[in-house]
Amino acid sequence: MASYKYISCDDHLLEAPDTYSKRAPARLKDVAPHIENIDGADVWFAEGAPIRHARLAAAAGPATGIATAGVKKVTYEKIRPGVWKAEERLQDYDQAGVYAAALFPDMLPGFSGNPFSSIKDTELRRFCVRAYNDRLAEDFYAVNPKRFIPIGILPAWSVTECVEEVRRIARIGHKGVLWGGLSDIFGYPWMGDPYWFPLWETIQDLDIVLCLHQQSAAIERIKLETGKIPENMRIAMRSCHKTSTIQPTQELLLSGILEKFPSLRVLLAES
């Protein structure tokens, strides 16, 4: 029996290559996210175009050469299995002394609060949110409900859809939901707006956790042309990542949300 020492409140998962394709209805099969191998690298495609390489940004145990070669030649065969497979992840947990972990998404859904922002079609985005949440429940929580803690993502473009999805995923095992915090930068009402009150009420009533994760690149205040960023500006941009939870935390504390919903539980991850 392993000697467990930790519960991780901020783990990240990479989707399996067939996460979306095997769940897509016929009308979305051709445009749903799927993996194509381009010049030796696994690449996620959606709506007929590449959207990102298949790699979790901070994954454990990169194979030799991946760390220095970047993402250009990464394939699922080279990615540590525990990054995207449940049983292998449990083995890694045993080795590291981790009893359980809260499971956050990777860079394809994103964790800024505007999931699948690179996808243009709202119906497809809605499907991707549900498929991602279903995968957490079916492929991880169902394997070990004591050690895998699913954190769902939400269709942030509609509070009504958010409420419906929170209720749905709570029924299938999710213990928390990811909220970006700075929703107004994406054109939605800011988090203290009464527009969102039905969401906070639902999360509170279901006794699941509202999770705010580091916003990361989504709120970079320095916008320079890709490939022409001086090193000193790169350092400044990275500092934005590290401090990006400060503003949504302040807004949460001062907006009156916690007074209006006093039983709302909150997790600040990577903050």
Side-chain angles (χ1 to χ4, degrees):
M1 176 65 70
S3 176
Y4 299 119
K5 299 179 181 179
Y6 310 104
I7 293 179
S8 169
C9 67
D10 183 22
D11 266 30
H12 290 265
L13 286 178
L14 185 67
E15 296 100 313
D18 63 352
T19 294
Y20 306 100
S21 57
K22 77 175 183 180
R23 293 178 172 88
R27 67 184 183 279
L28 297 177
K29 279 286 186 184
D30 293 338
V31 293
H34 63 279
I35 289 291
E36 295 186 20
N37 190 276
I38 306 296
D39 297 327
D42 283 349
V43 179
W44 282 104
F45 273 70
E47 297 179 310
I51 50 178
R52 67 172 289 109
H53 285 80
R55 189 184 80 122
L56 186 60
T64 302
I66 289 181
T68 55
V71 300
K72 293 184 179 180
K73 297 297 180 182
V74 175
T75 64
Y76 269 86
E77 287 72 25
K78 295 178 181 178
I79 296 172
R80 187 179 183 91
V83 174
W84 59 284
K85 293 182 177 180
E87 294 292 353
E88 287 83 350
R89 196 177 190 93
L90 289 174
Q91 294 173 16
D92 288 344
Y93 285 173
D94 289 344
Q95 182 178 350
V98 175
Y99 175 68
L103 304 179
F104 285 87
D106 74 323
M107 299 298 289
L108 181 59
F111 38 83
S112 65
N114 194 33
F116 299 99
S117 58
S118 59
I119 293 177
K120 299 175 182 178
D121 182 73
T122 301
E123 182 186 11
L124 181 57
R125 289 182 73 187
R126 182 181 298 113
F127 157 74
C128 289
V129 167
R130 292 175 63 95
Y132 174 84
N133 289 337
D134 287 347
R135 194 243 174 178
L136 276 187
E138 296 163 2
D139 297 353
F140 282 83
Y141 182 72
V143 171
N144 195 315
K146 292 185 177 180
R147 300 184 68 185
F148 290 129
I149 306 169
I151 306 298
I153 58 177
L154 299 177
W157 52 86
S158 166
V159 68
T160 301
E161 292 188 34
C162 282
V163 168
E164 292 172 352
E165 185 65 3
V166 169
R167 289 173 176 160
R168 188 186 76 87
I169 63 178
R171 291 193 298 268
I172 60 176
H174 285 248
K175 307 304 180 184
V177 291
L178 174 61
W179 181 256
L182 299 180
S183 51
D184 53 299
I185 68 174
F186 304 115
Y188 312 135
W190 79 289
M191 67 185 305
D193 194 293
Y195 174 83
W196 298 112
F197 285 0
L199 178 58
W200 313 142
E201 182 178 23
T202 301
I203 295 171
Q204 173 183 257
D205 291 349
L206 291 172
D207 195 30
I208 59 178
V209 180
L210 176 67
C211 303
L212 273 66
H213 191 283
Q214 173 187 298
Q215 308 293 291
S216 195
I219 62 162
E220 286 173 356
R221 301 310 190 198
I222 303 166
K223 297 294 182 183
L224 297 174
E225 186 177 349
T226 302
K228 297 182 179 180
I229 303 175
E231 182 58 28
N232 61 325
M233 290 295 97
R234 288 183 181 275
I235 294 171
M237 291 169 70
R238 285 195 290 270
S239 73
C240 288
H241 297 187
K242 301 304 181 186
T243 62
S244 60
T245 315
I246 293 175
Q247 188 171 342
T249 301
Q250 292 172 331
E251 293 182 5
L252 177 66
L253 292 173
L254 300 176
S255 63
I257 293 173
L258 299 181
E259 287 77 14
K260 187 172 181 61
F261 305 99
S263 297
L264 184 66
R265 295 186 293 153
V266 179
L267 167 67
L268 303 178
E270 198 171 335
S271 59

